[in-house]
Amino acid sequence: MDSGSLMVDELAGPSKPPAISRSTYGASQVSSIEPNGYSKPATVPIAGPRPISHSRGASPSRTGPAFSIATKKGKLIQKPNGSNQAGNIEGSLHLSTLPTGLCYDVRMRFHSELRSRKDDVHPEDPRRIYAIYEDLCDAGLVDDPETPGPLKNDLLLRIPARHATEAEICLVHTKAHYDHVASTRLREDMSVEELVTLQPDDSIYFNQTSWMAATLSAGGAIETAQAVASDTVKNAIAVIRPPGHHAEENKAMGFCLFNNVCIAARVCQKTFREQCRKILILDWDVHHGNGVQDVFYSDPNVLYISIHVHKNGHFYPHGDGGDKFCGAGPGTGFNVNIPWSQQAMGDGDYMLAFQQVVMPIAYEFDPDLVIVSAGFDAAAGDQLGGCFVSPAGYAHMTHMLMSLASGKVMVCLEKGGYGSGDSENGLNFQSISRSALAVTRTLMGEPPDRLTSTTASPSGIQDVEKVVTRQSRYWRSLYPSDIDMEAKNVIGGQRMHDVIRAYQSKNLYDQFKMTSLFILRDRISKSFENQVLATSKWDECNVLIVIFHDPPEIIGVPHPKTKKLELHNTWLADPVKFYTEWAVKQGFGVIDVNIPKHITGDEDDEGYVLEGEYTRQTATEELATYLWENYLEYTEAAEMVLMGVGEASKGLWHLLETQETCYERISGSISFIEASNVRRVRSTINDSLSAWYYQNSLIFISPTHFIFDPERKPVAKKFGHIIKSGKKSLNEMLVAHKREVEEFIKKRVS
């Protein structure tokens, strides 16, 4: 029954959950004439080789639904059909005793790709939702006549899907977009070629039943959200397709035709008003929900939080999914993106994001309803997502969300089940079905399984901390807070890495008479001042040591209450200076090349910033090439040793690979690596370079580096002569191996 046609009924007596029996929830054949005049086609093309049953999982008939909605004095209550007893849920029935709802309709599987081949099935395959429904039935959670196994005591309450109306869809989408999708509506005269021309790209397809499936998917989301918001069920899962979170106001994209969760949220706000004013949409699909973000970007009543792989904009949908997109106007702060900078994120990363960002903000927002855009393409085994979230991980996230909004959580299927090398036709239905089953069990009250891995990755920790700092401008529950950049500019603030390099320059001049080498640059920045320092008469020395290094490290003990670093409890760790001091005492020339992690612009209007890895690597390689072509190649030094510390090692590796005669002038190469990638040094024009590099290099690597993973192949000689250090950090390694490096250099230059 639509929310617009609520019946008024005076109910008396205690209420109880609807009786569940096979007669009520048994599968039924799809009617020949559907609601709103939709007729079922005689034959429907289905992608993939496996035939699809048209009976198992059929939605309960709209003429005899599992429940109806009634109103009493403005309150929404439940009236189970065929029950002699009913009552006001608010009064005598606690929410925890209500059933969990399930929305699933076999007709949504009719939307399938045209011209599909057995060996090339579109990732958004109809069998995805059937696999989930099948697992729910096999687990005894759904009373389906085709499931012979025993049933659980508590079963899922079936929520019938219906077709979303034009008015409901146009709460989110333009009339032009609605008409575009509607143009495919059971057009028997439309050829395959005409349907293909309607597809904007390879991510979208249409057939003659796509319109029916899309409106059912949106309508199913609406009915499920309303059932949760009205206390008809305590929570629910909508196993629907096609998905929706990429669909924008005026176009379909990314497998999505209509934006289901946005439509459901808008309808709930309109129907329930103050009872459902604030809505949290949590999106754990591996791709950013660009469509949801666009719809609610200026809305302070909808908090959108998305956890997704971003890869600095190099992962679909390649748009505005970065952490800096926080909303606009009155919605500023109500858009929270948690973008992973790489794939391969696991349970530990997602738990960290939930504990540090999602839940603190969600508690502070205090929603009336929680809607989960539940894509399961971050699940282990999903090839497109490339992440490793376990079913238990999804269950734990669901369990945490159930502490919000008095437990009113509606989980809406998005995407997932895309591919694995050993799965059927490149699809992986097991990853999506097991994850959805774990979420459903948790919604029904079962505790989540134990997590086998709870440790976040270094990149995950960095990504989450960046979001915390960004969002701390808008949410009091996040700490530490980002600085007020306007106040910083007023008081004349300056980034410390620029201050420290200026100090180093003065200190190195006072001790070793080191001065700056002129570097011709297109862009002048404070970060480049004193970047390259050299000892006096460096070009006349017999031995020259060139050191590419990361900036020195700040170590300190923060204030126990404010967490601020105070100068009297902070130290500058710079063990590179010990190598400079030793080289000068030996009579060697030294060139010190500092590679800043951040390039301070003329308008420094950002607060916390991460190092620009790609920009920094490019700048390092350009600087190394400039030094070689303008200084090093013309030096009179008979012996030259290159030394790299941290990410700055990429400068010397670049020289060896790109400058044909470089290695002939180099006596040895030394690198210290803690966590950054180790590069193979090889040349397409010089086959002997790799062998030379192995014989004339020392590569000290932290024992925690992934290169020592026992499951990896043995390290090739192209990486150089690798030594597994007994120390973990760069500073510790520089101190521990100083004597070893000194002996290596002496041997090479003697």
Side-chain angles (χ1 to χ4, degrees):
M1 180 172 292
D2 297 351
S3 59
S5 58
L6 302 177
M7 66 178 184
V8 179
D9 192 7
E10 186 71 16
L11 301 180
S15 175
K16 65 178 182 179
I20 300 177
S21 66
R22 291 192 186 277
S23 61
T24 304
Y25 301 103
S28 61
Q29 297 294 332
V30 179
S31 302
S32 59
I33 300 297
E34 299 297 337
N36 299 335
Y38 296 92
S39 61
K40 171 178 170 288
T43 59
V44 180
I46 300 296
R50 192 167 89 179
I52 294 181
S53 168
H54 285 189
S55 60
R56 184 178 189 183
S59 179
S61 170
R62 292 296 297 166
T63 59
F67 60 88
S68 60
I69 306 295
T71 59
K72 178 182 178 182
K73 298 180 181 179
K75 302 295 184 180
L76 289 164
I77 56 179
Q78 176 187 17
K79 180 181 179 182
N81 285 1
S83 174
N84 293 324
Q85 292 183 341
N88 193 324
I89 291 177
E90 287 189 350
S92 59
L93 184 60
H94 194 272
L95 288 173
S96 63
T97 64
L98 291 172
T100 293
L102 166 67
C103 181
Y104 172 81
D105 195 302
V106 66
R107 292 170 293 173
M108 297 182 203
R109 288 154 52 193
F110 296 164
H111 169 64
S112 59
E113 185 184 20
L114 295 164
R115 295 173 169 173
S116 64
R117 300 194 306 271
K118 183 175 180 179
D119 59 345
D120 185 22
V121 179
H122 194 282
E124 211 291 282
D125 186 279
R127 291 170 292 175
R128 294 169 51 251
I129 61 171
Y130 179 76
I132 295 174
Y133 182 76
E134 189 176 38
D135 267 16
L136 295 177
C137 290
D138 292 342
L141 305 181
V142 181
D143 190 353
D144 189 288
E146 293 190 11
T147 304
L151 298 176
K152 300 289 186 181
N153 291 330
D154 295 324
L155 299 181
L156 293 166
L157 177 64
R158 293 294 294 275
I159 301 173
R162 64 167 173 84
H163 296 282
T165 66
E166 177 181 345
E168 290 169 333
I169 293 173
C170 288
L171 289 172
V172 171
H173 296 286
T174 62
K175 180 67 164 57
H177 176 60
Y178 175 87
D179 291 340
H180 174 71
V181 181
S183 66
T184 67
R185 179 180 176 180
L186 293 180
R187 287 277 302 277
E188 299 292 346
D189 60 329
M190 185 173 286
S191 66
V192 171
E193 287 71 20
E194 289 176 302
L195 285 166
V196 170
T197 60
L198 295 175
Q199 302 171 189
D201 53 57
D202 290 340
S203 72
I204 297 296
Y205 60 77
F206 291 106
N207 69 8
Q208 288 89 346
T209 57
S210 296
W211 164 254
M212 177 182 68
T215 54
L216 277 173
S217 185
I222 293 171
E223 289 293 291
T224 307
Q226 287 188 322
V228 174
S230 64
D231 294 340
T232 302
V233 293
K234 62 181 176 183
N235 50 46
I237 181 169
V239 183
I240 59 177
R241 66 175 290 274
H245 75 150
H246 289 312
E248 296 185 345
E249 179 185 18
N250 58 354
K251 68 178 180 180
M253 64 180 291
F255 311 161
C256 306
L257 304 185
F258 294 134
N259 204 314
N260 303 318
V261 298
C262 290
I263 295 170
R266 285 288 192 223
V267 171
C268 283
Q269 285 181 319
K270 184 177 180 180
T271 302
F272 300 104
R273 300 187 181 277
E274 285 302 313
Q275 295 179 44
C276 196
R277 182 172 61 87
K278 296 192 296 181
I279 298 177
L280 163 63
I281 300 178
L282 187 282
D283 191 338
W284 66 44
D285 190 285
V286 79
H287 302 94
H288 177 239
N290 55 290
V292 185
Q293 174 172 291
D294 290 348
V295 170
F296 298 116
Y297 204 61
S298 301
D299 191 336
N301 291 317
V302 177
L303 170 63
Y304 178 60
I305 304 179
S306 177
I307 311 175
H308 55 272
V309 173
H310 189 241
K311 297 178 71 172
N312 300 317
H314 298 287
F315 196 78
Y316 190 87
H318 313 291
D320 302 334
D323 66 281
K324 68 178 182 179
F325 295 94
C326 302
T332 300
F334 293 92
N335 192 87
V336 181
N337 287 324
I338 307 175
W340 301 129
S341 56
Q342 63 184 37
Q343 292 172 273
M345 312 307 284
D347 290 341
D349 301 296
Y350 279 77
M351 292 303 104
L352 180 69
F354 257 70
Q355 293 164 356
Q356 298 295 320
V357 180
V358 175
M359 296 311 297
I361 292 178
Y363 280 128
E364 187 174 340
F365 180 67
D366 191 22
D368 301 310
L369 175 67
V370 177
I371 300 177
V372 182
S373 279
F376 293 106
D377 41 5
D382 190 296
Q383 195 171 36
L384 288 187
C387 291
F388 302 99
V389 180
S390 68
Y394 285 115
H396 277 270
M397 289 188 283
T398 305
H399 192 259
M400 284 186 269
L401 292 173
M402 289 168 64
S403 65
L404 302 166
S406 300
K408 296 183 179 182
V409 177
M410 176 264 210
V411 177
C412 186
L413 181 66
E414 291 289 352
K415 307 191 307 299
Y418 308 139
S420 177
D422 57 354
S423 59
E424 183 180 0
N425 301 309
L427 300 177
N428 190 345
F429 304 127
Q430 202 172 71
S431 67
I432 187 173
S433 62
R434 288 183 176 177
S435 299
L437 176 60
V439 167
T440 306
R441 289 185 184 277
T442 302
L443 290 173
M444 298 179 75
E446 293 188 22
D449 289 340
R450 298 175 67 174
L451 296 171
T452 57
S453 175
T454 57
T455 303
S457 64
S459 65
I461 294 172
Q462 180 173 269
D463 294 338
V464 169
E465 288 301 319
K466 184 180 179 183
V467 175
V468 169
T469 304
R470 172 81 63 178
Q471 291 294 331
S472 66
R473 306 173 187 179
Y474 315 111
W475 301 97
R476 294 189 299 272
S477 54
L478 298 186
Y479 201 85
S481 299
D482 201 5
I483 65 172
D484 185 338
M485 292 306 298
E486 293 184 3
K488 185 274 299 183
N489 294 330
V490 170
I491 62 178
Q494 187 177 358
R495 291 197 181 270
M496 281 300 297
H497 75 146
D498 298 327
V499 175
I500 289 174
R501 188 55 179 172
Y503 158 78
Q504 281 185 305
S505 176
K506 182 179 185 307
N507 194 42
L508 291 173
Y509 176 81
D510 291 342
Q511 286 188 279
F512 312 117
K513 303 303 179 185
M514 298 182 73
T515 56
S516 296
L517 291 183
F518 174 76
I519 305 296
L520 181 63
R521 314 174 189 91
D522 295 331
R523 177 186 176 191
I524 302 299
S525 166
K526 294 178 181 179
S527 305
F528 285 108
E529 293 177 3
N530 306 311
Q531 185 180 15
V532 182
L533 304 174
T535 55
S536 60
K537 299 183 179 181
W538 62 270
D539 54 336
E540 299 177 6
C541 296
N542 189 52
V543 178
L544 177 63
I545 311 295
V546 183
I547 307 175
F548 293 84
H549 64 87
D550 291 349
E553 183 180 352
I554 297 292
I555 58 176
V557 181
H559 189 280
K561 183 177 180 180
T562 65
K563 304 300 180 184
K564 293 182 179 180
L565 282 176
E566 303 165 303
L567 291 180
H568 63 282
N569 287 319
T570 307
W571 295 265
L572 179 67
D574 184 22
V576 173
K577 66 183 179 183
F578 299 144
Y579 289 81
T580 302
E581 181 180 16
W582 172 82
V584 170
K585 288 182 179 179
Q586 305 302 312
F588 301 159
V590 178
I591 294 181
D592 180 288
V593 185
N594 177 73
I595 306 297
K597 292 186 176 183
H598 171 69
I599 307 303
T600 304
D602 296 331
E603 296 182 1
D604 185 20
D605 56 358
E606 285 287 320
Y608 178 81
V609 293
L610 289 173
E611 61 177 274
E613 183 175 346
Y614 177 78
T615 304
R616 187 182 181 211
Q617 177 178 339
T618 302
T620 301
E621 294 174 350
E622 290 177 352
L623 178 59
T625 301
Y626 182 91
L627 287 174
W628 178 261
E629 293 177 347
N630 292 275
Y631 291 104
L632 302 180
E633 190 174 14
Y634 304 105
T635 181
E636 298 179 2
E639 308 286 350
M640 194 182 311
V641 176
L642 301 180
M643 180 173 169
V645 180
E647 289 281 348
S649 297
K650 294 175 180 177
L652 64 90
W653 295 334
H654 180 73
L655 281 184
L656 292 172
E657 288 183 328
T658 60
Q659 303 299 318
E660 295 182 20
T661 61
C662 176
Y663 84 102
E664 298 175 355
R665 299 285 310 276
I666 304 301
S667 302
S669 174
I670 306 156
S671 293
F672 290 87
I673 304 297
E674 179 180 349
S676 55
N677 292 331
V678 182
R679 184 189 296 183
R680 298 177 181 179
V681 175
R682 53 187 175 181
S683 173
T684 57
I685 60 176
N686 186 355
D687 295 335
S688 62
L689 178 61
S690 294
W692 174 91
Y693 184 63
Y694 179 78
Q695 296 171 358
N696 295 276
S697 66
L698 288 180
I699 318 294
F700 299 98
I701 301 181
S702 170
T704 59
H705 197 280
F706 64 84
I707 202 171
F708 298 120
D709 188 332
E711 296 183 0
R712 290 177 58 91
K713 295 180 180 180
V715 182
K717 291 184 178 181
K718 294 178 181 179
F719 288 98
H721 183 66
I722 290 179
I723 298 175
K724 185 176 182 179
S725 176
K727 303 296 182 180
K728 295 182 179 180
S729 70
L730 282 177
N731 289 331
E732 292 174 328
M733 287 191 288
L734 284 166
V735 173
H737 298 289
K738 180 173 178 291
R739 182 65 61 85
E740 195 172 348
V741 171
E742 292 173 357
E743 295 300 322
F744 174 81
I745 294 176
K746 287 180 179 179
K747 183 177 180 180
R748 288 295 185 278
V749 303
S750 61

